[in-house]
Amino acid sequence: MAKVKVQNYKGTRDFYPEDKRLQKYVFNIWRSVCERYGYEEVDAPMLEPLELYQMKNGANPDMIKDELYALTDKSGRDLVVRPEMTPTVSRMVAARRQELQYPARWYSIPNLWRYERPQKGRLREHWQLNVDIFGQDGLQAVFELLQIANDIVVGLGAETGMYTIRINSRKLVNKLCELLRLCEPEASALMQLIDKKAKMPIEEYDQKFNELVDGDAAMKSLINEFLAATSYDELPEELRNTDEAAELRQLLDSCSDNMMESVVYDPLIMRGFDYYTGFVFEVFNEDLENNRAMLGGGEYDGLVGAMGAEPLPTAGFGMGDVTAIDFMQSQGTLPELWNETDIYFVVLEGSLEAAQAAIRKLRQGPRINVAVDSTYRKLSKCLESADKRKIRYALICGENEVKSGQYQLKDLKTGETFTMDLDKIAQALR
RNA sequence: GCGGGUGUAGCUCAGUUGGUUAGAGCGUCUGGUUGUGGUUCAGAAGGUCGCCGGUUCAAUUCCGGUCACUCGCCCCA
């Protein structure tokens, strides 16, 4: 028989206990922060009909062609393994448009798939926190999302200076294009150029920029002034007096009034060319070795309406588990993670039967997680094994303990040993 | 889709200017007399040197191809 490859599929991860422990740690932070803001968890099938991703306001066609896991079922239906959650939650809202309570606050932690060459921070399968709010006006919705995003990053151990939350307004950019009298091909080209500015060499940017403005000095200086702004006050005067700028100012003020000192205005944030309609934002890891966006989102008002339901204002963001873990690693904020098992119960030879009552008592009364070692190896080997599994406590049970009811509980972190009865042990572990 | 890097023990990697039994550290297992580890000592297991082909008396080493992994570009939900 041919040997089966034991290696996992390209761009995916096997989660061994220590890996899953880390992922669960991240998920727990995500869940607890979302639920603190009244968000409810939802989920959906991993397979969706291809049409969901072919809508007008959806992702661009090249992406659909090249970067999806697509398949055909036995009845000839075209299916896709979900590459993102936003169309799915929009579909779910559209399906119950009339009966849901608004604002609807939802979050989910789906695994998502994209067919591309893996690289650092981007794999073929990852888990992504999605936080969405439906039916709330943009400004309030986005402010709430920014608070959640901030709390999550802080929950991951971030301190001021380790990250920035950068926000921009697509409406303000549209206003700029309007002032410049840019029509569709040029407006898109400008946005695309802004989006890529940080990534391309300055000479290349200058060349493309000059092509675009075509010698129009007034246009050039207006765009440059816009791009150089780091606050509302630095915006070009023509823009500063618009409703769009006022809304931006209000959002920035709300953030600074609420101690969110990592929020900054950044006119370069565009979030690609998908469905975003209003405010957009990204959280950046400011570690110089790993300076990249690790969370992104914004307002996407068109999607629910695009499914034939009555439109409603919508905003949301996503954050991947890979980038979240990379962030903690690059910033050194990972805590020591202990095994879910509380006690490694080491039974010495000859005492197994007598020990069962004690094991049962720990599990059933105080619900302590107990793993039994009845291998009868040398005691030192048993302790070592518990330590390697990252179990915090070992309990030793031999003849003496069974007789006296006094057990030895060893803290494998400190090496200290305590002698106590089972009730005291249960109490100590609370 | 495009480009760079790397494939030798479970892991991290040495090494062979082509030559007979291929190495280290870590990890794993056993033991240092029978109930307290993570320090130490001794020992053991574990490798068709990614795969296929070419050159050669001889290839893990040179050449070609291929696959895999990895980093970057494109793209980014």
Side-chain angles (χ1 to χ4, degrees):
Chain A
M1 193 166 83
K3 241 192 267 176
V4 175
K5 277 188 212 160
V6 296
Q7 194 170 37
N8 56 307
Y9 172 62
K10 188 199 235 333
T12 64
R13 290 162 291 167
D14 287 330
F15 292 90
Y16 287 88
E18 62 275 20
D19 308 311
K20 195 65 190 176
R21 207 175 291 145
L22 174 56
Q23 196 193 45
K24 275 169 77 177
Y25 173 76
V26 173
F27 286 5
N28 287 340
I29 291 166
W30 285 349
R31 286 207 167 89
S32 68
V33 173
C34 289
E35 288 172 6
R36 200 174 309 145
Y37 282 81
Y39 284 65
E40 299 169 280
E41 187 164 6
V42 297
D43 208 341
M46 208 161 81
L47 295 176
E48 289 281 7
L50 175 64
E51 304 90 77
L52 187 64
Y53 304 98
Q54 292 175 320
M55 298 189 328
K56 278 179 186 155
N57 289 325
N60 84 47
D62 291 343
M63 231 146 66
I64 289 172
K65 200 172 66 210
D66 300 329
E67 297 182 11
L68 293 179
Y69 276 88
L71 61 134
T72 307
D73 76 5
K74 291 182 182 179
S75 305
R77 299 182 187 92
D78 289 321
L79 300 176
V80 163
V81 183
R82 62 186 173 194
E84 57 166 329
M85 198 58 175
T86 305
T88 298
V89 289
S90 300
R91 175 178 69 70
M92 288 169 71
V93 169
R96 297 198 180 175
R97 178 69 181 84
Q98 304 301 324
E99 55 207 281
L100 291 173
Q101 295 304 305
Y102 299 101
R105 293 180 167 95
W106 288 0
Y107 80 92
S108 54
I109 307 180
N111 58 334
L112 307 176
W113 288 76
R114 47 197 170 194
Y115 197 98
E116 64 176 350
R117 292 187 62 161
Q119 50 194 284
K120 194 173 184 192
R122 288 197 85 189
L123 302 176
R124 287 185 169 181
E125 184 191 33
H126 73 136
W127 275 257
Q128 188 184 62
L129 170 68
N130 273 258
V131 182
D132 294 284
I133 177 164
F134 299 89
Q136 174 77 268
D137 280 346
L139 187 65
Q140 291 172 58
V142 171
F143 175 59
E144 183 167 293
L145 293 173
L146 291 176
Q147 286 180 291
I148 295 172
N150 190 63
D151 282 8
I152 284 172
V153 180
V154 169
L156 295 174
E159 291 167 21
T160 308
M162 291 182 181
Y163 69 104
T164 51
I165 300 176
R166 305 184 187 182
I167 63 179
N168 192 17
S169 163
R170 294 273 283 239
K171 284 181 188 159
L172 189 62
V173 178
N174 290 339
K175 193 76 192 175
L176 174 73
C177 292
E178 201 181 307
L179 284 173
L180 295 168
R181 298 177 199 286
L182 283 179
C183 293
E184 209 13 77
E186 289 82 13
S188 288
L190 176 62
M191 282 194 243
Q192 195 157 22
L193 186 60
I194 294 173
D195 193 34
K196 305 225 159 119
K197 185 182 178 189
K199 280 187 165 185
M200 62 172 65
I202 188 70
E203 301 81 27
E204 190 185 340
Y205 169 79
D206 284 340
Q207 191 205 332
K208 291 196 170 166
F209 181 61
N210 284 326
E211 273 171 32
L212 194 71
V213 298
D214 195 24
D216 185 332
M219 185 192 266
K220 196 170 169 176
S221 74
L222 184 60
I223 296 174
N224 279 333
E225 198 182 344
F226 171 75
L227 292 180
T230 59
S231 67
Y232 165 84
D233 294 319
E234 293 173 21
L235 284 172
E237 194 169 350
E238 301 92 312
L239 278 176
R240 218 181 305 150
N241 298 320
T242 61
D243 293 344
E244 290 78 7
E247 206 187 26
L248 173 67
R249 181 187 199 175
Q250 212 178 331
L251 181 61
L252 289 166
D253 286 349
S254 295
C255 291
S256 63
D257 289 349
N258 285 279
M259 312 297 290
M260 290 163 66
E261 44 197 25
S262 298
V263 174
V264 296
Y265 170 61
D266 184 347
L268 294 181
I269 300 297
M270 285 289 165
R271 304 268 327 129
F273 266 91
D274 38 34
Y275 32 63
Y276 291 109
T277 52
F279 287 118
V280 286
F281 55 90
E282 290 181 352
V283 177
F284 265 74
N285 182 356
E286 292 297 333
D287 183 272
L288 295 178
E289 302 287 304
N290 198 13
N291 190 216
R292 57 160 68 207
M294 53 177 176
L295 179 157
E299 293 177 83
Y300 55 100
D301 289 348
L303 267 190
V304 172
M307 308 210 187
E310 192 187 336
L312 82 177
T314 311
F317 71 79
M319 176 183 217
D321 68 328
V322 181
T323 43
I325 291 168
D326 280 352
F327 174 73
M328 291 192 292
Q329 276 163 351
S330 68
Q331 297 284 3
T333 63
L334 267 173
E336 185 170 21
L337 297 176
W338 294 98
N339 199 306
E340 298 278 348
T341 304
D342 304 303
I343 291 180
Y344 197 65
F345 197 108
V346 180
V347 181
L348 301 179
E349 193 153 12
S351 300
L352 184 57
E353 259 177 74
Q356 292 299 349
I359 295 166
R360 201 171 58 241
K361 186 171 177 185
L362 287 170
R363 285 183 181 147
Q364 292 183 350
R367 307 273 162 128
I368 287 171
N369 303 334
V370 180
V372 175
D373 184 324
S374 53
T375 59
Y376 308 138
R377 290 174 291 181
K378 282 169 64 174
L379 182 52
S380 62
K381 298 291 177 194
C382 296
L383 295 176
E384 212 176 298
S385 180
D387 193 52
K388 293 216 166 102
R389 298 163 204 257
K390 294 296 287 182
I391 296 174
R392 181 70 191 267
Y393 297 98
L395 188 152
I396 294 139
C397 178
E399 250 178 278
N400 302 340
E401 285 76 12
V402 171
K403 262 186 213 150
S404 66
Q406 298 288 313
Y407 296 82
Q408 291 188 51
L409 186 72
K410 190 178 180 84
D411 183 336
L412 293 170
K413 183 177 183 172
T414 63
E416 291 172 289
T417 304
F418 309 91
T419 304
M420 304 186 266
D421 63 28
L422 292 177
D423 292 329
K424 288 252 170 56
I425 287 172
Q427 251 173 39
L429 292 189
R430 284 293 111 190

